[in-house]
Amino acid sequence: MSFRNYDLNFDINQPVCNDLCHNPTEDVMASTLYAKAQNVALLKNELTQVIIGVGLLACAAQVSIPLQPVPITMQTVAVLLIGLFYKPSAAVKTILSYLGMGAVGFPVFANFSGSFAHFLTPTAGYLFGFVACVAVMAACREKIAKDTFVTQLALCTLGSIIIFACGISWLALFVGVSKAFYVGFVPFIIPGALKGLMVAYACKHIKSSNWS
């Protein structure tokens, strides 16, 4: 019986099978697809939040006490909730979407009204203040280590101050600083404080129930 001599020498650095080779290109493609899927999911989530927020603002605007020149509405409650629950980007986009819809005529403002003329009225400053309010509240909330009732109430107070500062500043252009303060702030001190307490209390229980 004869035996053939086989060359058993091989390079240990050479892959034994191409199917087992590590392909960095495939890893890059997989990472890219995963990143795109994450971005799509985030966009869908943000779009859902914006739609819900706009609907909440539009409904809250219809609950009002018709004082002159500035009515008391539940809009600020919706704005404070958005500032406490949304990320800064989603919060700002929600308010801008709401204001944009009202500007082009959708009936999302008080008394189911909507037009660009609302931004030329003495009370337009409060609408502008909504944007600054949610931007500051959401940004501050992300930097707070403990999310407690006290911190939520403090954020609501800060947000309310921003809204009133913008509203009074704009109103003063029409009626003067002194009158703007007395008709645009003083009547809202107690209602504003109650709204802040209500929102902070609701936020505490919603988050403790893991609804958010």
Side-chain angles (χ1 to χ4, degrees):
M1 180 180 294
S2 63
F3 294 92
R4 296 180 179 178
N5 292 326
Y6 292 93
D7 185 7
L8 299 179
N9 294 324
F10 60 88
D11 186 357
I12 62 174
N13 294 321
Q14 183 177 359
V16 176
C17 177
N18 289 333
D19 292 339
L20 299 179
C21 293
H22 180 71
N23 191 338
T25 303
E26 292 182 356
D27 286 349
V28 172
M29 291 178 63
S31 299
T32 302
L33 290 174
Y34 179 73
K36 287 183 177 180
Q38 278 192 317
N39 290 335
V40 170
L42 289 173
L43 287 174
K44 287 183 178 179
N45 182 56
E46 189 174 81
L47 179 60
T48 302
Q49 288 183 332
V50 170
I51 293 173
I52 293 173
V54 170
L56 180 63
L57 286 163
C59 292
Q62 311 315 318
V63 182
S64 64
I65 300 175
L67 298 181
Q68 293 297 329
V70 185
I72 296 176
T73 73
M74 294 296 286
Q75 267 182 319
T76 49
V77 171
V79 172
L80 295 177
L81 283 171
I82 290 169
L84 287 178
F85 281 98
Y86 284 21
K87 291 183 179 298
S89 175
V92 172
K93 288 176 182 176
T94 299
I95 301 297
L96 291 177
S97 297
Y98 170 71
L99 297 180
M101 289 179 66
V104 298
F106 284 91
V108 294
F109 295 150
N111 300 318
F112 296 101
S113 60
S115 71
F116 186 77
H118 280 77
F119 298 96
L120 304 176
T121 64
T123 59
Y126 296 93
L127 297 176
F128 302 144
F130 292 167
V131 182
C133 169
V134 298
V136 173
M137 285 183 67
C140 290
R141 181 178 54 81
E142 289 190 336
K143 298 182 183 299
I144 294 176
K146 292 186 177 181
D147 202 8
T148 65
F149 173 77
V150 174
T151 58
Q152 290 160 4
L153 181 59
L155 287 173
C156 287
T157 303
L158 175 61
S160 297
I161 290 173
I162 292 172
I163 293 173
F164 281 119
C166 294
I168 294 171
S169 299
W170 183 267
L171 182 60
L173 299 176
F174 295 84
V175 299
V177 176
S178 179
K179 187 175 181 180
F181 178 80
Y182 283 106
V183 302
F185 175 69
V186 173
F188 302 94
I189 294 176
I190 294 177
L194 292 176
K195 289 177 185 179
L197 286 168
M198 180 174 65
V199 171
Y201 184 79
C203 182
K204 173 188 174 183
H205 284 274
I206 290 173
K207 290 188 175 183
S208 64
S209 302
N210 294 321
W211 292 359
S212 62

